[in-house]
Amino acid sequence: MTPEEKKAALPQLQEEGNNLYRLKQFHQAADKYAEALGCIEQLLIREKPGDGEWIDLDSRKIPLLLNYAQCKLILGDYYPVIEHTTSVINRDEGNVKAYFRRGKAHAAVWNKREAQADFSKVLELDPSLKGAVKKELKILEDRIKSNKKEEWEKLKGKNVFG
């Protein structure tokens, strides 16, 4: 594809990803978002950082990164969620969606402190999400309690000291 074709394909790729997401075809949706992100990266290489065209292209990455991260979150692929939402936060420190999704991903991979920090930031940025944050923190605490109980049951009756 030529650079012009890549740029013209961006809205179509994003729309295709959105349609696939609505159909709950998350793998395919993530692929479309990734393809659009790849086009943007290739186009950015041709531009001078800080120029108008570069800034425009770079700003188009945020919704694609968030959509991609949402698909990966649903699919249980948590580390790319953490990576891509962090990338969004580095560009836009007030992005509530990025903090919320990264918090959920951190919680899923047992990064309790990081999850709590992200959820605290969500509340700071948008207090109306208190109920959603409370729910996620409860899920995390319940998982931790359940895991501790399982570990205790495994250790019970065993002489762990030799």
Side-chain angles (χ1 to χ4, degrees):
M1 271 199 266
T2 67
E4 293 75 24
E5 291 170 331
K6 288 176 185 171
K7 191 170 183 181
L10 291 174
Q12 181 182 352
L13 289 169
Q14 185 170 4
E15 187 58 34
E16 288 175 18
N18 293 347
N19 290 334
L20 289 163
Y21 182 90
R22 281 191 274 289
L23 295 171
K24 299 189 183 323
Q25 296 177 4
F26 304 116
H27 284 285
Q28 296 89 333
D31 289 345
K32 290 295 178 183
Y33 298 134
E35 186 178 347
L37 286 163
C39 287
I40 289 175
E41 289 300 328
Q42 291 171 5
L43 290 167
L44 284 171
I45 291 170
R46 301 174 52 87
E47 301 297 331
K48 182 178 176 188
D51 278 356
E53 186 66 21
W54 188 92
I55 291 169
D56 176 56
L57 286 167
D58 192 57
S59 69
R60 294 173 80 174
K61 288 172 68 172
I62 290 177
L64 292 166
L65 287 166
L66 288 171
N67 291 354
Y68 180 79
Q70 180 63 21
C71 290
K72 290 296 190 177
L73 188 61
I74 290 168
L75 294 168
D77 194 1
Y78 303 114
Y79 291 102
V81 176
I82 293 168
E83 175 188 349
H84 294 299
T85 53
T86 299
S87 179
V88 170
I89 290 164
N90 289 338
R91 287 176 169 76
D92 177 8
E93 290 182 15
N95 195 299
V96 176
K97 284 183 182 180
Y99 281 106
F100 191 80
R101 291 175 187 165
R102 188 173 75 173
K104 288 182 73 155
H106 275 305
V109 296
W110 301 96
N111 296 338
K112 181 180 176 182
R113 273 191 226 106
E114 291 88 344
Q116 290 171 328
D118 281 345
F119 289 134
S120 291
K121 187 69 174 178
V122 168
L123 288 178
E124 177 187 318
L125 294 169
D126 188 350
S128 72
L129 293 174
K130 184 177 183 178
V133 168
K134 224 174 151 178
K135 177 184 168 195
E136 293 301 326
L137 289 172
K138 171 106 172 75
I139 291 168
L140 176 59
E141 290 303 322
D142 289 349
R143 284 183 63 225
I144 290 169
K145 285 179 188 173
S146 175
N147 185 276
K148 284 181 180 177
K149 186 177 180 183
E150 285 176 25
E151 290 298 315
W152 177 250
E153 291 299 321
K154 287 178 186 174
L155 293 174
K156 204 188 308 183
K158 291 184 179 179
N159 185 354
V160 294
F161 298 108

